[in-house]
Amino acid sequence: MIRVNDVVEIIERFAPPKYAADWDNVGLQVGKKDDIVKTVLITFDVTGQVIEEAQKKRANLIISHHPITRGEIKSVTTGDFVGSRLWQAANANINVLVAHTNLDTCLGGVNDVLAAELGLKDVEILVKREDQSYYKLVCFVPASHVKKVTDAIMEAGGGQIGDYSHCTFRTEGKGTFKAGPKSKPYIGESGKISEVEELRLETIVSHMDLQGALTGMIKAHPYEEVAYDVYRLEEPRPLFGLGRIGRLERPVNLGEGLKIWQKKLGLSNPKVCGKLSDKVERVAVCGGSGGDLIKIAKEKGAQVIITGDVKYHDAQLADYLGIAVIDAGHYYTERVIVPELARLLEQELEDRGETIKVLISEVNTNPWNDD
């Protein structure tokens, strides 16, 4: 038996919500975390047709890339574009889970799948979203409080190394101090040199989680003055970011590459900026809307960027900079994640011994007539 919250944890371990943009709305948008999952339907968008499809297929959990709402909800009414879908899903007892920009930016997410689909090698993140530095956090704790302090640091996001959580190292030792006359030491006496048994607790914390980990550690620690060290570590490979850049196995001219990529993505009539005879080898990609990454892609050495929703003036900038652009559309550059997400969830459920069906929506949610 698996519940909605179990699936939420699976998806969010792969695409952590903290990787989402500030303006985004990810996570469980409709439903109850303790509902037992019967069948899962994976989709690109949550439309009325998709909800009807879920009802027909007896799926009580929809996992969507695009959220129903990205802003604050002030009302839920059937005459509203957002409210009508929320109402429809809730009345059908269908849970809706969203993984949006967190799925765009994480390793193995939308952009990595898009890069692989287009045949790119030696793929790197095009733009890191923010400082991803890591720190070693060391503190000294009496054995009586080591669990409480450890839990506080872990709850703030510390101790995460890849797919492993709660990573720490502990060594026993003796600490000494002399408490001042106005102090109230947890162990020992004021005015005397005290020697106490302590544990040296070490863990790793990201830049994003450091302040929260320090706050939680100090709050959980029994000492008036907490002794701790913070060491900045050499930066590892970035864990998330916008877009990807890589190279083709062999250089091709833009026209030749266009034919290959059209077939791979199922495109009929993409917009192209650039000379079809120009050779390209280094390629940047950004699923969805990536027009604002054109200049960065050029600076990183890309001869072409494949993305969607490119504005007229962005294309003009690309022409001036001398980088080709293929506007393959928002839908076609991101829908590649749907079968991959289904595969990942199926594998995780299988590893847990679960036999829940994971279906891929058959509804085409693309609003444009591209054929």
Side-chain angles (χ1 to χ4, degrees):
M1 183 189 308
I2 192 165
R3 300 183 185 275
V4 169
N5 194 49
D6 298 318
V7 179
V8 172
E9 289 178 357
I10 292 170
I11 298 301
E12 293 189 346
R13 188 171 66 248
F14 176 68
K18 65 183 179 182
Y19 291 178
D22 293 340
W23 50 262
D24 202 6
N25 188 6
V26 301
L28 190 64
Q29 291 201 334
V30 179
K32 297 183 293 184
K33 290 186 176 182
D34 60 351
D35 265 6
I36 296 172
V37 178
K38 300 171 184 176
T39 298
V40 180
L41 182 68
I42 312 287
T43 184
F44 187 59
D45 300 286
V46 182
T47 64
Q49 284 182 299
V50 170
I51 296 171
E52 290 173 2
E53 179 188 25
Q55 287 179 280
K56 290 177 182 177
K57 295 179 177 178
R58 300 183 183 278
N60 68 328
L61 174 59
I62 293 174
I63 301 178
S64 174
H65 180 50
H66 285 153
I68 294 178
T69 173
R70 294 190 298 183
E72 181 181 350
I73 303 171
K74 295 183 178 180
S75 64
V76 178
T77 61
T78 57
D80 176 73
F81 176 59
V82 171
S84 62
R85 289 176 290 159
L86 293 171
W87 181 272
Q88 185 180 358
N91 274 275
N93 293 315
I94 294 175
N95 301 272
V96 178
L97 171 61
V98 173
H100 190 210
T101 51
N102 51 327
L103 190 58
D104 287 331
T105 56
C106 71
L107 291 185
V110 172
N111 285 293
D112 280 319
V113 174
L114 178 60
E117 190 72 20
L118 298 178
L120 302 190
K121 311 293 182 183
D122 301 327
V123 175
E124 302 173 1
I125 292 174
L126 185 61
V127 185
K128 291 193 300 178
R129 284 199 59 241
E130 58 183 279
D131 187 354
Q132 296 173 59
S133 302
Y134 277 79
Y135 297 84
K136 176 182 279 190
L137 173 60
V138 179
C139 67
F140 304 88
V141 196
S144 61
H145 282 70
V146 70
K147 183 180 185 304
K148 186 176 181 180
V149 172
T150 300
D151 288 347
I153 295 172
M154 299 303 111
E155 287 173 9
Q160 189 78 31
I161 302 177
D163 197 32
Y164 293 83
S165 65
H166 296 74
C167 300
T168 67
F169 186 77
R170 303 170 187 177
T171 51
E172 295 181 354
K174 290 185 178 181
T176 63
F177 61 86
K178 182 179 180 180
K182 295 182 180 180
S183 65
K184 296 180 181 179
Y186 176 75
I187 301 174
E189 298 179 39
S190 298
K192 295 183 179 181
I193 296 177
S194 300
E195 188 176 281
V196 298
E197 299 288 340
E198 292 179 321
L199 291 172
R200 174 187 169 101
L201 174 65
E202 303 180 38
T203 191
I204 187 171
V205 185
S206 72
H207 171 82
M208 291 186 297
D209 298 323
L210 180 60
Q211 190 55 56
L214 290 174
T215 300
M217 175 194 72
I218 292 170
K219 185 176 180 180
H221 205 290
Y223 292 175
E224 283 185 303
E225 300 292 341
V226 180
Y228 64 90
D229 299 312
V230 177
Y231 305 95
R232 180 163 180 156
L233 303 177
E234 185 175 337
E235 190 171 354
R237 183 186 177 194
L239 295 177
F240 72 108
L242 297 171
R244 298 293 185 267
I245 186 167
R247 63 171 181 84
L248 298 173
E249 195 163 332
R250 65 176 180 85
V252 297
N253 61 47
L254 182 62
E256 180 185 354
L258 180 61
K259 291 178 182 178
I260 295 170
W261 299 324
Q262 277 186 268
K263 185 175 181 180
K264 286 181 177 292
L265 297 180
L267 306 175
S268 57
N269 191 30
K271 293 186 288 186
V272 182
C273 171
K275 295 179 181 178
L276 297 181
S277 59
D278 283 352
K279 289 288 183 182
V280 295
E281 181 177 13
R282 194 155 171 79
V283 180
V285 300
C286 182
S289 304
D292 56 348
L293 300 183
I294 288 172
K295 185 177 180 181
I296 296 171
K298 173 65 178 179
E299 291 171 350
K300 293 287 183 72
Q303 287 107 21
V304 59
I305 180 169
I306 302 170
T307 186
D309 297 346
V310 179
K311 297 178 182 178
Y312 179 85
H313 294 294
D314 290 331
Q316 284 188 320
L317 174 62
D319 185 55
Y320 169 76
L321 294 174
I323 178 174
V325 176
I326 296 176
D327 186 337
H330 197 118
Y331 178 78
Y332 294 101
T333 55
E334 287 195 321
R335 71 170 182 176
V336 292
I337 194 60
V338 172
E340 178 63 12
L341 196 58
R343 185 194 68 77
L344 286 167
L345 182 57
E346 281 180 332
Q347 185 62 58
E348 181 68 28
L349 293 173
E350 183 180 321
D351 291 344
R352 296 186 180 201
E354 300 288 348
T355 56
I356 296 167
K357 288 183 181 179
V358 178
L359 308 176
I360 295 175
S361 175
E362 298 177 69
V363 176
N364 182 350
T365 62
N366 185 12
W368 297 105
N369 295 324
D370 292 329
D371 297 329

